[in-house]
């Protein structure tokens, strides 16, 4: 029996990186997975991989900033699997533009993709979780949501907002047994960071910030997300879980 047996999970931004790792692990643990991303063809490849391994999944094209897309995704999840128990708000973008070069449009784009998306996802999924008698929402923030960093104003602001939106939602919906927690990855090798880590000097700098002497992998994050999504964490809500190789231990 899997750790998510018979649960239905929506995972956003799951065409690659951490979202894909979450989707593969969730399916392996018995969940039926609704895999969404703005990149439709890649989402369908993830679905095929899950089905080949004997799992159950559907893939949907989904712009997380679009309210009508959220309404359609939630409707299709319910039509296909009949309920929603888990939501992983993973889709996100980074923005490392120097402060004085930032435009209002670039700032707002980061906030919309990283934060408004989560507001919308929670708004449309929570009524179905109430109907199901509870649920678990895992919002992907960052170490940047817990501490300031150089050259990442909008990203840091957005990930701090994810942390606090998580706590506010946790307080509001605990009475319905809906748990809401945030995960704060450190430096993880994914398509988002591939160019950054190609530069040997940059790579050494990132490694110097992290006591465990390696970068994180998407699977390291997926295992933490799985714990928070599953009933194993049934008395945990409103917390932040750093998965950071010891970054915050220093
Ligand atoms: N990689 C890291 O080091 C790191 C560290 C901390 C936090 N994070 C966070 O982890 C999450 C996953 O990132 P990742 O590293 O796997 O990167 P990634 O780029 O591989 O994954 C992000 C996914 O989000 C999708 N996406 C972007 N805009 C979208 C939109 N408008 N609608 C729907 N999907 C959209 C992309 O297509 C992509 O598949 C992000 O929220 C990111 O901010 C990453």
């Amino acid at each position: 029996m899997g750790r998510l047996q018979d649960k239905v999970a929506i995972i956003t931004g799951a065409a690659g990186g951490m979202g894909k790792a979450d989707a593969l692990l969730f399916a392996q643990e018995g969940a039926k997975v609704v895999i969404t991303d703005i990149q439709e063809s890649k989402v369908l490849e993830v679905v095929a991989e899950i089905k080949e391994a004997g799992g159950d999944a559907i893939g949907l094209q989904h712009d997380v900033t679009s309210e009508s897309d959220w309404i359609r995704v939630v409707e299709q999840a319910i039509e296909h699997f009949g309920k929603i128990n888990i939501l992983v708000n993973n889709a996100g973008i980074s923005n490392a533009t120097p402060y004085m070069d930032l435009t209002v449009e670039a700032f707002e784009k980061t906030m919309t993709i990283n934060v408004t998306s989560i507001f919308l996802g929670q708004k449309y999924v929570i009524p179905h979780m109430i109907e199901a008698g509870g649920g678990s929402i895992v919002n992907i923030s960052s170490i940047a949501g817990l501490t300031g960093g150089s050259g990442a104003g909008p990203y840091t602001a957005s990930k701090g907002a994810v942390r606090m939106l998580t706590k506010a939602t946790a307080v509001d919906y605990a009475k319905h047994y809906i748990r809401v927690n945030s995960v704060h990855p450190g430096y993880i090798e994914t398509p988002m960071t591939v160019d950054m880590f190609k530069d040997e000097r940059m790579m050494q700098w990132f490694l110097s910030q992290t006591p465990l002497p390696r970068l994180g992998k998407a699977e390291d994050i997926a295992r933490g997300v799985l714990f928070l999504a599953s009933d194993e964490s049934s008395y945990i809500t409103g917390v932040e879980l750093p998965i950071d190789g010891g970054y915050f231990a220093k």
Side-chain angles (χ1 to χ4, degrees):
M1 176 111 158
R3 293 162 70 189
L4 297 179
Q5 205 62 45
D6 301 325
K7 305 274 192 197
V8 176
I10 297 179
I11 304 173
T12 70
M18 296 180 207
K20 177 179 175 184
D22 295 345
L24 296 178
L25 184 60
F26 278 29
Q28 202 180 302
E29 291 294 341
K32 298 173 170 66
V33 194
V34 180
I35 298 165
T36 86
D37 201 288
I38 203 154
Q39 305 183 65
E40 187 176 22
S41 60
K42 286 196 176 169
V43 146
L44 297 178
E45 285 169 21
V46 180
V47 170
E49 203 173 323
I50 287 176
K51 288 193 166 164
E52 254 169 53
D56 199 355
I58 57 169
L60 301 173
Q61 203 276 339
H62 179 198
D63 177 352
V64 289
T65 68
S66 157
E67 189 161 12
S68 58
D69 270 19
W70 268 110
I71 292 168
R72 174 180 51 79
V73 163
V74 168
E75 273 174 10
Q76 286 185 263
I78 293 291
E79 245 172 57
H80 208 84
F81 292 126
K83 60 175 184 170
I84 302 166
N85 306 109
I86 297 162
L87 169 64
V88 181
N89 281 308
N90 167 79
I93 57 164
S94 64
N95 186 335
T97 313
Y99 203 102
M100 290 303 156
D101 297 336
L102 272 169
T103 59
V104 170
E105 290 73 20
F107 187 89
E108 287 181 344
K109 182 179 174 195
T110 308
M111 294 302 283
T112 308
I113 295 179
N114 291 359
V115 188
T116 310
S117 61
I118 295 184
F119 155 69
L120 288 171
Q122 294 186 155
K123 180 176 162 80
Y124 288 102
V125 165
I126 282 173
H128 294 284
M129 289 185 167
I130 293 175
E131 210 175 299
S136 175
I137 299 175
V138 184
N139 294 326
I140 307 303
S141 176
S142 167
I143 50 174
L146 295 168
T147 186
S150 172
Y155 186 71
T156 304
S158 73
K159 293 302 188 178
V162 171
R163 171 174 176 260
M164 291 314 296
L165 182 59
T166 297
K167 289 185 191 298
T169 316
V171 171
D172 276 344
Y173 290 96
K175 59 181 172 291
H176 296 288
Y177 291 96
I178 296 169
R179 300 181 298 104
V180 194
N181 295 292
S182 55
V183 167
H184 298 254
Y187 301 125
I188 316 299
E189 285 181 293
T190 68
M192 184 182 276
T193 50
V194 71
D195 287 338
M196 220 161 68
F197 296 144
K198 261 187 205 152
D199 181 327
E200 188 53 31
R201 273 185 39 212
M202 288 273 272
M203 166 85 151
Q204 289 309 325
W205 183 83
F206 283 113
L207 283 176
S208 74
Q209 302 299 302
T210 305
L212 282 174
R214 68 167 174 88
L215 296 171
K217 299 181 193 318
E219 293 72 20
D220 294 320
I221 307 305
R223 284 190 282 273
V225 174
L226 168 65
F227 169 67
L228 290 173
S230 78
D231 293 340
E232 292 160 19
S233 57
S234 60
Y235 203 54
I236 299 177
T237 196
V239 306
E240 58 259 329
L241 175 63
I243 305 179
D244 63 357
Y247 180 92
F248 281 116
K250 294 172 289 162

